[in-house]
């Protein structure tokens, strides 16, 4: 994983850490320019527009959250096409989120494991989306230098378990990403829990929130 990109430094109480921030894609040129100027990366989703928008740093999301919100099953065929598209881009994605089932527990983990080799042929690192019902013991034998953690799940569960998963990742020196971070308080919480990166849509929709 590249380490030279600009990071956003956050402080929460006495803790101090740095995180890479990825914004959900937006079609607004003004917002895209502001994101690039502030050193953010771009999260490209299988469920969104497949464009890198000139960003030098990207990551790939599986689109499972959009499927969940729409009440449909995860679209594996579309995800395969998305992987082919990503592999053809001049910018290599920092990481990919393995397919998952939102709030799907162990069944979600089984789906993720099935795609491990396929996704690792496209990006240097893959992230397992942890969901409601998953415990750290379920992931202990799977994580490593190329396999990190993507904290998903319901909002209440994610907040309640954020510190626990952060400790799990820190002890194993694996990448820890917190999804759907759209406020100063949530970003500070993610930083205090040791997140290496976060993503959100607030900065994509409202460029004025970037300085905050």
């Amino acid at each position: 994983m590249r380490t030279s990109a600009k990071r956003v430094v956050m402080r929460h109480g006495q803790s101090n850490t740095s995180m890479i921030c990825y914004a959900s894609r937006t079609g607004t040129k003004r917002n895209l320019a502001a994101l690039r100027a502030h050193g953010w990366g771009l999260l490209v989703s299988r469920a969104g527009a497949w464009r890198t928008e000139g960003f030098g740093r990207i990551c790939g999301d599986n689109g499972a959250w959009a499927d969940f919100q729409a009440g449909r099953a995860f679209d594996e065929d579309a995800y395969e096409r998305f992987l082919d598209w990503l592999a053809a881009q001049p910018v290599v994605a920092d990481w990919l989120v393995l397919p998952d089932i939102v709030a799907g527990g162990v069944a979600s983990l089984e789906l993720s494991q099935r795609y491990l080799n396929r996704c690792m042929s496209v990006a240097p690192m893959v992230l397992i989306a942890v969901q409601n019902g998953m415990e750290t013991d379920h992931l202990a034998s799977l994580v490593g230098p190329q396999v990190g953690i993507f904290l998903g799940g319901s909002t209440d569960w994610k907040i309640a378990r954020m510190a626990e998963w952060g400790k799990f990742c820190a002890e194993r020196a694996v990448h820890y990403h917190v999804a759907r971070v759209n406020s100063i308080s949530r970003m500070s919480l993610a930083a205090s829990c040791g997140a290496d990166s976060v993503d959100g849509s607030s900065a994509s929709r409202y460029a004025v929130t970037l300085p905050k």
Side-chain angles (χ1 to χ4, degrees), residues 32-50:
L32 286 168
L35 290 165
R36 284 192 292 264
H38 281 78
W40 283 49
L42 187 69
L43 182 143
V44 184
S45 174
R46 184 272 302 168
W50 299 358

Side-chain angles (χ1 to χ4, degrees), residues 1-207:
M1 182 176 166
R2 296 189 299 271
T3 58
S4 59
K6 179 180 177 182
R7 292 182 176 221
V8 176
V9 177
M10 303 298 300
R11 291 176 174 81
H12 182 73
Q14 296 301 310
S15 63
N16 182 9
T17 188
S18 61
M19 299 187 300
I20 302 168
C21 298
Y22 298 91
S24 301
R25 186 195 169 276
T26 173
T28 306
K29 292 182 179 180
R30 173 175 172 267
N31 290 0
L32 286 168
L35 290 165
R36 284 192 292 264
H38 281 78
W40 283 49
L42 187 69
L43 182 143
V44 184
S45 174
R46 184 272 302 168
W50 299 358
R51 295 172 58 180
T52 61
E53 303 291 5
F55 278 72
R57 180 170 216 132
I58 64 170
C59 60
D61 181 55
N62 61 31
W65 179 251
D67 289 337
F68 173 74
Q69 288 185 308
R72 58 179 180 250
F74 180 75
D75 192 335
E76 293 193 50
D77 290 338
Y79 188 69
E80 285 285 355
R81 294 192 298 273
F82 179 60
L83 293 179
D84 290 340
W85 175 83
L86 271 177
Q89 301 310 301
V91 179
V92 177
D94 289 340
W95 44 261
L96 292 172
V97 185
L98 295 168
D100 70 284
I101 304 169
V102 176
V106 177
S108 176
L109 183 58
E110 292 173 351
L111 175 61
S112 297
Q113 287 182 268
R114 184 154 56 85
Y115 272 87
L116 263 172
N117 290 336
R118 173 73 172 101
C119 290
M120 290 177 71
S121 71
V122 176
M125 184 166 60
V126 297
L127 304 183
I128 298 174
V130 293
Q131 303 286 350
N132 302 49
M134 287 189 194
E135 302 297 333
T136 53
D137 288 349
H138 294 143
L139 279 295
S141 65
L142 298 175
V143 297
Q146 293 180 281
V147 182
I149 293 296
F150 181 98
L151 184 62
S154 66
T155 299
D156 290 344
W157 182 84
K158 178 172 64 175
I159 292 173
R161 303 295 295 274
M162 196 180 296
E164 179 183 355
W165 283 104
K167 182 175 182 290
F168 170 85
C169 291
E171 290 174 345
R172 291 159 180 79
V174 301
H175 190 92
Y176 182 38
H177 180 88
V178 177
R180 304 194 311 276
V181 174
N182 291 308
S183 67
I184 294 171
S185 61
R186 189 69 55 80
M187 190 169 282
S188 296
L189 177 62
S192 72
C193 292
D196 296 297
S197 61
V198 297
D199 73 80
S201 60
S202 176
S204 303
R205 292 178 291 169
Y206 312 109

